[in-house]
Amino acid sequence: MKKKIFQWVILFLGTSVFHSQRILNTVVTEQNKVVTAPSSIRLLSGFMANSANIGTFRAYIASAPNPGGGITPVDPTPAIGMNSTENYILTTRCLDANCTKRSEIIQYFDGLGRPKQVINIKASPTGKDVVTHIEYDGFGRQVKDFLPVPQSGTSNGAIISNPLANATQTGIYGQEKIYAEKILENSPLDRILEQRQVGTAWANKPVTFQYDANIAGEVKKYVTTTSWSNGATASAISQSGTYGVGQLYKNIVTDEDGNKTIEFKNGQGQLILSRMSINASENADTYYVYNEYNQLAFVIPPRQL
């Protein structure tokens, strides 16, 4: 069953804000239900608005009540092209008190509740739709992030079957690669192995990620001794050998130009060492030292080592 949710954000300049929240957590049974609140509306677990049973559900947010105590009336008529067989949220932002000037964004969702298309209605300088395409791989992961694509016209909010068709037009993107992409490892962790940026020039210049553990003697181990002195804590630092093999997580990031940054973290996720490769035989190491209370107490820059 499909749901239609209209979310309207009404902005009034020069008015005070009345803090009030409306919480909805039940099934809507009233036909063409309208809900208003001055500050915010929260849709919690249990809320459902089934268009087949109730028609439409509209939620209005306004920052200023009118003198009669209600919400300042605004023409609620949205774009007219929304698909009745799709799940979507339409957000309208009024740019003046009468909402004659407005910006409208409609977000469509697939059957699993995942975003699949975002349409900025008539958002281009020439009044045409600007659409962001969203897709998933066979494991349900979003590995490509597409640039918004201006369309040849407006669908008044209706979902567009082929939003990327207009991308190759001269004056838009032409033959450029219009998405950033990630290559993920074949494990439930879904860690990133490679990442390529938008643009044809970056297609063969990935940022690579490697995941490992430290080897013996690779990272110095610094410890602190904390005492109470003059009404405050005072920490002293000293080196206590090196970390043993496999005691630290080792993440290696190589940028598009081949520069490496290596980070070593402990089991609590605290950064212990950031190592930048200057050349094949020289590194710039920055150590981070924590006291007995897991507070960052010292940062040792490269020139001090």
Side-chain angles (χ1 to χ4, degrees):
M1 307 301 289
K2 304 298 180 180
K3 295 182 287 185
K4 303 177 188 175
I5 299 176
F6 295 84
Q7 178 186 12
W8 293 71
V9 181
I10 317 300
L11 301 181
F12 294 95
L13 299 178
T15 60
S16 60
V17 177
F18 292 77
H19 298 286
S20 179
Q21 183 180 83
R22 185 80 177 269
I23 296 177
L24 305 178
N25 56 6
T26 59
V27 177
V28 178
T29 58
E30 181 181 334
Q31 287 289 316
N32 301 319
K33 176 71 173 180
V34 177
V35 174
T36 58
S39 179
S40 64
I41 298 174
R42 296 182 63 193
L43 307 182
L44 300 182
S45 177
F47 170 81
M48 186 174 70
N50 189 331
S51 62
N53 298 329
I54 67 167
T56 61
F57 171 82
R58 292 190 172 109
Y60 298 91
I61 298 174
S63 59
N66 63 29
I71 301 299
T72 302
V74 172
D75 176 15
T77 306
I80 60 174
M82 287 82 70
N83 297 69
S84 60
T85 58
E86 298 282 351
N87 296 309
Y88 62 82
I89 293 177
L90 171 66
T91 302
T92 297
R93 175 162 294 179
C94 295
L95 305 179
D96 60 16
N98 297 320
C99 209
T100 54
K101 295 181 180 180
R102 65 179 72 174
S103 67
E104 293 180 309
I105 300 175
I106 185 167
Q107 186 175 28
Y108 284 96
F109 299 84
D110 64 16
L112 298 176
R114 304 174 304 184
K116 65 178 181 179
Q117 190 173 114
V118 179
I119 304 175
N120 289 265
I121 302 172
K122 300 179 182 179
S124 76
T126 56
K128 299 172 182 177
D129 294 343
V130 179
V131 180
T132 302
H133 171 68
I134 303 171
E135 67 178 41
Y136 304 88
D137 67 6
F139 297 99
R141 306 174 301 188
Q142 187 179 345
V143 295
K144 293 182 179 180
D145 293 314
F146 287 85
L147 293 174
V149 178
Q151 302 299 301
S152 57
T154 180
S155 65
N156 289 317
I159 195 167
I160 297 174
S161 59
N162 189 6
L164 302 180
N166 208 45
T168 58
Q169 297 294 321
T170 303
I172 300 181
Y173 298 119
Q175 300 304 312
E176 285 292 318
K177 176 172 167 283
I178 65 168
Y179 57 87
E181 58 183 325
K182 296 174 288 189
I183 297 177
L184 307 178
E185 67 178 4
N186 294 322
S187 83
L189 297 177
D190 287 341
R191 295 184 298 190
I192 300 175
L193 298 179
E194 289 187 4
Q195 185 170 319
R196 291 179 169 86
Q197 300 301 326
V198 172
T200 304
W202 302 103
N204 296 317
K205 292 184 177 182
V207 178
T208 62
F209 301 81
Q210 296 172 268
Y211 306 93
D212 205 343
N214 71 297
I215 61 176
E218 189 175 16
V219 181
K220 297 177 183 179
K221 186 175 185 179
Y222 291 94
V223 296
T224 63
T225 302
T226 304
S227 60
W228 187 260
S229 176
N230 297 322
T233 57
S235 296
I237 185 173
S238 61
Q239 185 179 344
S240 179
T242 60
Y243 283 92
V245 60
Q247 290 187 337
L248 299 174
Y249 295 105
K250 179 180 179 180
N251 298 332
I252 306 171
V253 180
T254 305
D255 68 16
E256 294 91 343
D257 296 320
N259 302 310
K260 284 188 177 182
T261 300
I262 307 173
E263 290 188 345
F264 296 86
K265 295 183 179 181
N266 62 19
Q268 295 177 290
Q270 295 170 325
L271 178 62
I272 302 298
L273 168 61
S274 177
R275 172 170 291 163
M276 298 186 65
S277 297
I278 298 175
N279 53 52
S281 60
E282 186 179 3
N283 296 319
D285 290 352
T286 302
Y287 279 85
Y288 300 82
V289 185
Y290 304 85
N291 61 22
E292 297 92 327
Y293 308 103
N294 287 326
Q295 299 169 326
L296 180 62
F298 297 93
V299 177
I300 307 176
R303 290 185 178 274
Q304 301 300 317
L305 297 174

